[in-house]
Amino acid sequence: MNAPTNPKELELQTVEFKLDGKTIVSYEGETILKAAKRHGVDIPHLCFKDGYRPDGNCRACVVEINGERALAPSCCRSATPGMEVKANSERAVKSQKLVLEMLLSDMPDEGFKWVGDSKEEEQQNQHGELSTWAARMDVTVRPELKALRREKVASDISHPAMAVNLDACIQCNRCVRACREEQVNDVIGYAMRGGHSEIVFDLNDPMGDSTCVACGECVQACPTGALMPKGLIGSQTVDRKVDSVCPFCGVGCQITYNVKDEKIVSVEGRDGPANHNRLCVKGRFGMDYIHNPQRLTKPLIRKAGVPKDENAIQNPQDWSSVFREATWEEALEVAGGGLKKLKDKHGLKVLAGFGSAKGSNEEAYLFQKLVRTGFGSNNVDHCTRLCHASSVAALLEGVGSGAVSNQVNDVEHSSMIFLIGSNPTANHPVAATWFKNAAKRGAKIVLCDPRSTEISKHAWRTMQFKPDTDVAMLNAMIYTIIEEGLVDQDFIENRANNFEALKENIKGYSPEAMAPVCGIPAETLREVAREFATTKSAMVLWGMGVSQHVHGTDNARCLIALVSITGQIGKPGSGLHPLRGQNNVQGASDAGLIPMMFPNYQRVDNPAAHAWFEKFWDTPLDQKPGYTVVEIMHKITAPDSDPDKIRGMYVEGENPAMSDPDLNHARHALASLEHLVVQDIFMTETALLADVVLPASAWPEKVGTASNTDRMVQMGKKAINPPGDAKPDLWIIQQIAKRMGLNWNYQGPDDGVAEVYDEMRQAMHAAINGITWERLEKESSVTYPCLSAEDPGRPIVFNDKFDTKDGKVKLVPADIIPANERPDADYPFVLITGRQLEHWHTGSMTRRATVLDAIEPMATVSMNGEDMTQLGVSAGDVITVQSRRGEVGIHVRRDDGTPRGVIFIPFAYYEAAANLITNAALDPFGKIPEFKYCAVKLAKGGHAAPVMGYGTNDPKRQKVTSVS
């Protein structure tokens, strides 16, 4: 893995050598180029990029070494004791300048990449780093060389996000290394030989027709503008650069916004601890959703006499017949006044709030505080209930903490990566690069999933088990480890409880007995179990394929048992990591945005915790856990005689009318509310059912912190102002609190965000006490637990004890519990839902991003080719998918990684909403719905709604492809 390292941390030996007559110190193995740069000497270079493997092919960085006949490339030559190096000798400089001149002579007259703060400077630097070095070295191209310029190469603009201008290519190989070695996507390569050699995509395809996943690593690597983001062709002069963190998945990549004319024109990857400059298509090319013309810019109030129709959710951008514009004062009075009126009339249990995992920690903390102290109940939840609630339930029960034990890129130290129920190349693309890097290094990836996904290409073993049989497969592995004496006895004796109960329970789960149940041969189950138990270090990472079942908690219990009995936890490269879905789902949960926990997972029915928060907030608090997302939907439709009937809701940045299971019921419930307040940046499907809609701020428009899947608290900074009259979410929450009778008075810039953070830090002192606001402003990212200002944070936890009362892991046996709804003669197929690379959550953001919508504009159902043949359909045809709750018409995509009898539908498309079909049955512990399994039937033909989009997609790119 090519993540940058700090030589001081590695305690390397030092080497003294002379550079241009001066003695300098190099670290053992450090290149001359890097050592020179550390000592203030810049040597020209083009094929070298920090963090990448040095290649030494451009020869712009050659230096003279005493005693050697040939000049040496400083980017891949290490210093040795006593070596005498001349970077500025006449011979070295002449060669450096000649290389730059020859490369510059082949450049087109007009470059794709102009860099500078003035027109004059742009002209000097029109070919990026090449022009920059030429200017610094005072290189001009002789007319004789210009006359020999190579034949012009046609540009390729077939890709929605990137332009290819190989006329400016110097074949430095950086794009190849970016694609094949950093991101490991294996799209870019060399073709032909000698003077005819060129960069190609796949089999010399146009970039837009290749297998490129648009991560943009190549455009970030290209030094000349041969590869460019389309949005930056021409002048790259920007007004300002703002450092922040990506607002999409839970990886938490650090980014830099480039702002021009009050618009974000491009995004660069930053050297953050989670991404080390890498980004995916969403982070690099998906940020223009904030400039979409459908942004809400005025408060809206439902027009008198316009009913709430759950059946009319078809075109969320056409809302003018439903709402009228209002002033902020009027809208807030109606919003807050309506909620308070219901509370005063019906009591403390009749209001509920859904917060957001897409906002900041400060917003999450303040929102849950509003519900508990202003509404008077614990009826507050967010999308963690729909993704990893069962994982958190099992982790709190087993290890005493709901967070990960090791960070994602700790797989650098893993000899085995056990990946289950996750499609990381689509859902956590940058995290997937660390897995692929580790595989190239020699680590063994084991992929366990009903679908064979892209990461299987890098897997040592792929266990494509039958849907709903996670416990059978995992118990068979646990059986093997116990039966064959592979248990870590020392770990069990000193650090685990309840092993004998686990051992007794496992007796009926031999691989031979479970093979026909889970579909994995017994010999494969045993082979993988042995390797897991005996390998030096094994990391288990899982996604919602594990958690979104009625037995999701049991699935996670099995994973906890697997790492515990083998001692594969509490050390580098070994541990448990549930990959978080949204950018701040970890932080929102930590901050208390869940109905049964105060901040930092202190139970609301724990007398000591309850008393502490009553004193801290100076308010009487409800002693009973509140209702969860799905339970709240049921409570809305409860009879009027039910004292806990939910009558009013405040929804901030969530979209339950798309994200909840059994949408017909969920939408009916939302439409039945007496008062619904929705705070969002777009007119979502949920907002269409509201009484008041409050226009909020997008992530780049505010200041705040977010906590990623690695337990890193990271600073997000404001790049631009919200559009029109839209307001920061933190301000809106405080305004609603004021109208609920709360006397909050947070002071300071950005609506008192630093003061809110400091209060949250006190409430979560056991985790983040050492992470002050000032420290975050300085360091950008700090890992918790971090208990003092001097504490660097702990990337690995459970080294010597767990967070349980006795410091030991609690092993909980699990038995097979079938899905709530099994296939039968009437509904013979299994539906699995999930995300895809280009779109995220319910699509309200990503489908309004120009590039993302252009790449994937159409809802599709993935099917095995043999099932398609049996049904008599081809790729692109329409089928009707029906469950006992609803149906959708949808276009078919062939995907032979999806097994026979199974279909997969992403849930981001409102015109083919997968959750119209899904089952609302709940896991009894995590209260999470069974999104990953329900019975459906398929019929050829039907009505597929037109590709609605949000006004950004290109009709010419509305195609359905096959996946081999």
Side-chain angles (χ1 to χ4, degrees):
M1 187 168 65
N2 292 319
T5 55
N6 183 348
K8 294 180 181 178
E9 295 176 357
L10 301 179
E11 298 181 356
L12 296 177
Q13 298 296 315
T14 57
V15 172
E16 286 192 354
F17 74 103
K18 285 190 174 181
L19 177 65
D20 293 330
K22 295 182 180 180
T23 299
I24 67 171
V25 176
S26 167
Y27 295 100
E28 188 175 26
E30 188 178 26
T31 64
I32 295 171
L33 180 70
K34 280 193 166 185
K37 186 175 179 64
R38 282 196 303 103
H39 287 83
V41 178
D42 278 338
I43 301 172
H45 56 273
L46 291 168
C47 72
F48 174 81
K49 179 173 170 58
D50 196 27
Y52 286 21
R53 172 185 57 80
D55 202 56
N57 66 63
C58 77
R59 286 317 198 250
C61 70
V62 291
V63 294
E64 190 174 1
I65 299 175
N66 279 8
E68 297 187 7
R69 179 182 59 84
L71 297 175
S74 60
C75 70
C76 51
R77 182 70 180 273
S78 297
T80 56
M83 176 185 280
E84 294 187 24
V85 179
K86 299 173 185 175
N88 290 312
S89 70
E90 182 181 355
R91 183 185 176 202
V93 170
K94 183 177 180 180
S95 182
Q96 293 165 7
K97 294 175 73 170
L98 180 61
V99 168
L100 294 172
E101 183 187 7
M102 293 178 68
L103 292 173
L104 199 58
S105 71
D106 265 343
M107 289 294 105
D109 293 329
E110 295 295 328
F112 264 81
K113 190 171 187 177
W114 292 4
V115 185
D117 294 324
S118 66
K119 188 69 175 179
E120 194 173 286
E121 191 177 342
E122 286 172 354
Q123 291 289 356
Q124 288 180 344
N125 296 282
Q126 62 176 323
H127 298 298
E129 293 174 35
L130 175 57
S131 292
T132 299
W133 281 114
R136 290 178 64 176
M137 300 290 289
D138 196 25
V139 172
T140 56
V141 179
R142 287 166 283 179
E144 306 94 288
L145 279 177
K146 202 71 173 174
L148 298 174
R149 188 172 67 183
R150 65 192 172 196
E151 186 178 343
K152 182 173 175 59
V153 180
S155 298
D156 172 9
I157 56 171
S158 59
H159 196 280
M162 294 168 281
V164 183
N165 181 30
L166 294 184
D167 207 23
C169 178
I170 61 173
Q171 298 188 8
C172 65
N173 203 16
R174 271 161 62 162
C175 63
V176 177
R177 281 172 283 157
C179 185
R180 305 186 81 86
E181 298 177 16
E182 297 297 304
Q183 294 272 354
V184 198
N185 289 322
D186 297 334
V187 178
I188 303 178
Y190 274 130
M192 277 65 82
R193 292 175 177 270
H196 298 287
S197 64
E198 62 178 327
I199 295 294
V200 298
F201 302 91
D202 291 338
L203 299 178
N204 209 4
D205 299 315
M207 191 185 202
D209 294 331
S210 72
T211 56
C212 171
V213 296
C215 68
E217 186 80 21
C218 59
V219 302
Q220 185 159 296
C222 181
T224 65
L227 293 165
M228 279 289 294
K230 277 187 173 179
L232 284 182
I233 296 174
S235 174
Q236 273 197 297
T237 303
V238 297
D239 300 328
R240 61 184 177 274
K241 291 175 175 282
V242 181
D243 289 341
S244 191
V245 62
C246 181
F248 291 110
C249 82
V251 172
C253 298
Q254 290 195 7
I255 59 175
T256 297
Y257 303 119
N258 292 318
V259 181
K260 183 176 182 178
D261 298 330
E262 297 309 308
K263 286 195 172 184
I264 295 174
V265 294
S266 66
V267 177
E268 299 168 2
R270 202 155 48 105
D271 190 15
N275 63 310
H276 295 302
N277 300 303
R278 303 177 187 189
L279 293 178
C280 76
V281 62
K282 292 190 289 294
R284 195 180 301 277
F285 299 118
M287 216 63 69
D288 69 337
Y289 74 92
I290 68 170
H291 303 304
N292 190 284
Q294 292 162 15
R295 281 292 300 273
L296 295 173
T297 60
K298 297 277 189 181
L300 304 173
I301 295 175
R302 180 171 291 272
K303 291 181 176 179
V306 177
K308 300 177 184 180
D309 184 359
E310 68 263 28
N311 299 313
I313 300 179
Q314 295 181 5
N315 196 350
Q317 57 262 46
D318 183 17
W319 50 261
S320 58
S321 62
V322 179
F323 297 98
R324 64 173 177 85
E325 292 183 352
T327 65
W328 268 107
E329 186 61 32
E330 182 190 11
L332 289 168
E333 288 301 325
V334 173
L339 294 170
K340 190 172 187 303
K341 187 181 296 183
L342 288 173
K343 173 189 170 184
D344 292 343
K345 181 178 179 180
H346 297 286
L348 302 181
K349 298 288 191 176
V350 301
L351 299 180
F354 286 171
S356 177
K358 298 185 284 291
S360 68
N361 285 321
E362 295 74 31
E363 292 162 11
Y365 172 81
L366 215 56
F367 189 89
Q368 62 86 35
K369 182 182 176 184
L370 165 64
V371 174
R372 298 188 201 279
T373 63
F375 292 6
S377 75
N378 292 310
N379 292 334
V380 63
D381 210 350
H382 75 297
C383 73
T384 192
R385 192 66 42 212
L386 307 177
C387 56
H388 267 302
S390 53
S391 303
V392 171
L395 288 166
L396 288 171
E397 170 190 67
V399 301
S401 168
V404 303
S405 68
N406 302 57
Q407 297 176 341
V408 171
N409 57 21
D410 193 43
V411 296
E412 178 184 10
H413 305 291
S414 301
S415 52
M416 176 183 278
I417 301 168
F418 191 84
L419 188 64
I420 178 169
S422 174
N423 182 7
T425 53
N427 296 331
H428 303 89
V430 171
T433 68
W434 305 125
F435 306 153
K436 292 183 283 187
N437 292 155
K440 289 176 76 75
R441 175 182 48 78
K444 294 178 178 178
I445 293 179
V446 176
L447 175 64
C448 306
D449 200 281
R451 302 171 67 223
S452 180
T453 55
E454 186 73 18
I455 203 75
S456 65
K457 296 178 182 177
H458 308 274
W460 169 66
R461 294 289 181 270
T462 296
M463 297 204 292
Q464 196 170 354
F465 61 93
K466 296 178 183 178
D468 193 46
T469 63
D470 313 59
V471 169
M473 180 186 69
L474 294 170
N475 272 353
M477 291 180 61
I478 295 169
Y479 176 100
T480 301
I481 292 164
I482 294 175
E483 182 206 37
E484 297 186 7
L486 303 177
V487 170
D488 185 331
Q489 290 292 347
D490 182 66
F491 190 96
I492 291 298
E493 290 173 10
N494 295 297
R495 301 198 58 194
N497 282 326
N498 212 34
F499 175 70
E500 290 303 319
L502 178 73
K503 182 177 180 181
E504 180 65 27
N505 185 74
I506 218 73
K507 288 182 177 178
Y509 289 94
S510 70
E512 290 72 23
M514 292 300 103
V517 177
C518 66
I520 307 298
E523 55 269 28
T524 303
L525 291 167
R526 288 187 178 275
E527 177 190 32
V528 172
R530 291 172 189 140
E531 185 67 25
F532 189 96
T534 59
T535 195
K536 180 183 177 182
S537 51
M539 179 95 82
V540 175
L541 303 104
W542 71 96
M544 286 169 270
V546 164
S547 59
Q548 290 177 336
H549 292 275
V550 292
H551 49 78
T553 303
D554 282 332
N555 293 345
R557 285 166 172 162
C558 289
L559 296 174
I560 294 168
L562 182 64
V563 301
S564 299
I565 66 172
T566 54
Q568 297 287 15
I569 191 168
K571 58 184 181 179
S574 299
L576 295 160
H577 191 120
L579 288 156
R580 307 297 180 173
Q582 297 195 38
N583 63 312
N584 199 35
V585 71
Q586 180 68 59
S589 299
D590 295 343
L593 204 59
I594 41 183
M596 64 288 295
M597 303 283 184
F598 291 127
N600 206 33
Y601 306 97
Q602 301 173 77
R603 285 199 61 90
V604 299
D605 52 6
N606 177 294
H610 187 271
W612 191 93
F613 277 96
E614 280 197 332
K615 182 178 179 181
F616 186 59
W617 289 331
D618 192 24
T619 307
L621 299 173
D622 187 5
Q623 298 182 24
K624 294 182 179 179
Y627 292 112
T628 62
V629 166
V630 176
E631 291 173 327
I632 285 171
M633 293 301 170
H634 290 307
K635 280 296 179 181
I636 294 171
T637 56
D640 285 344
S641 58
D642 187 340
D644 290 356
K645 177 182 173 66
I646 302 296
R647 299 173 183 272
M649 279 191 67
Y650 178 20
V651 177
E652 181 238 355
E654 283 290 294
N655 192 12
M658 275 290 288
S659 61
D660 272 30
D662 189 5
L663 280 185
N664 285 318
H665 176 266
R667 290 172 177 177
H668 173 70
L670 291 167
S672 302
L673 284 164
E674 295 177 37
H675 192 61
L676 173 60
V677 179
V678 173
Q679 175 177 322
D680 217 310
I681 61 175
F682 294 112
M683 181 58 68
T684 64
E685 293 75 13
T686 302
L688 273 175
L689 299 172
D691 294 278
V692 184
V693 180
L694 305 175
S697 51
W699 181 256
E701 298 162 356
K702 55 193 173 187
V703 178
T705 65
S707 302
N708 73 348
T709 191
D710 285 333
R711 292 182 277 105
M712 296 174 186
V713 183
Q714 304 196 106
M715 176 71 78
K717 295 182 179 178
K718 181 179 179 179
I720 59 174
N721 290 319
D725 289 338
K727 296 288 187 181
D729 293 78
L730 209 61
W731 180 85
I732 303 173
I733 294 169
Q734 292 180 63
Q735 292 300 312
I736 295 292
K738 178 181 178 181
R739 285 154 180 84
M740 292 299 299
L742 296 175
N743 186 28
W744 291 353
N745 188 29
Y746 295 101
Q747 299 292 321
D750 300 300
D751 305 299
V753 61
E755 188 175 341
V756 175
Y757 175 83
D758 190 62
E759 181 181 316
M760 180 183 73
R761 187 169 65 90
Q762 295 176 61
M764 296 173 57
H765 62 277
I768 63 171
N769 190 54
I771 310 177
T772 63
W773 185 261
E774 293 73 23
R775 183 175 178 179
L776 279 173
E777 287 187 310
K778 180 181 178 181
E779 299 181 28
S780 293
S781 176
V782 183
T783 299
Y784 72 82
C786 178
L787 304 184
S788 70
E790 298 75 32
D791 187 349
R794 293 178 60 187
I796 300 173
V797 294
F798 311 140
N799 309 70
D800 50 7
K801 65 177 182 178
F802 294 94
D803 288 347
T804 53
K805 288 183 179 180
D806 61 2
K808 296 183 178 182
V809 61
K810 180 182 179 181
L811 303 177
V812 181
D815 286 312
I816 295 175
I817 299 173
N820 177 263
E821 182 180 79
R822 305 283 295 177
D824 55 25
D826 293 327
Y827 296 89
F829 277 79
V830 170
L831 167 67
I832 296 174
T833 68
R835 294 176 177 150
Q836 58 194 138
L837 173 62
E838 293 78 10
H839 291 305
W840 181 72
H841 203 47
T842 65
S844 61
M845 291 160 58
T846 55
R847 294 196 67 201
R848 290 179 170 93
T850 309
V851 167
L852 304 181
D853 189 51
I855 297 174
E856 275 293 350
M858 181 186 292
T860 59
V861 53
S862 296
M863 288 182 65
N864 186 284
E866 293 184 31
D867 283 337
M868 290 170 60
T869 299
Q870 186 171 342
L871 192 60
V873 296
S874 302
D877 289 350
V878 174
I879 67 170
T880 299
V881 181
Q882 183 181 22
S883 75
R884 291 176 174 86
R885 290 156 295 281
E887 67 177 47
V888 296
I890 193 168
H891 294 271
V892 174
R893 166 176 274 159
R894 178 174 177 173
D895 178 8
D896 290 338
T898 298
R900 295 207 63 183
V902 175
I903 62 170
F904 173 83
I905 301 178
F907 63 93
Y909 298 85
Y910 69 86
E911 62 268 35
N915 283 326
L916 288 168
I917 308 171
T918 51
N919 190 359
L922 299 179
D923 174 290
F925 303 97
K927 302 295 180 70
I928 189 170
E930 190 155 50
F931 286 116
K932 294 299 185 202
Y933 198 101
C934 75
V936 297
K937 60 182 175 182
L938 312 181
K940 182 179 179 180
H943 174 69
V947 178
M948 304 294 283
Y950 292 99
T952 60
N953 53 287
D954 176 359
K956 291 181 289 186
R957 294 196 56 80
Q958 294 173 12
K959 59 185 181 181
V960 179
T961 59
S962 296
V963 181
S964 60

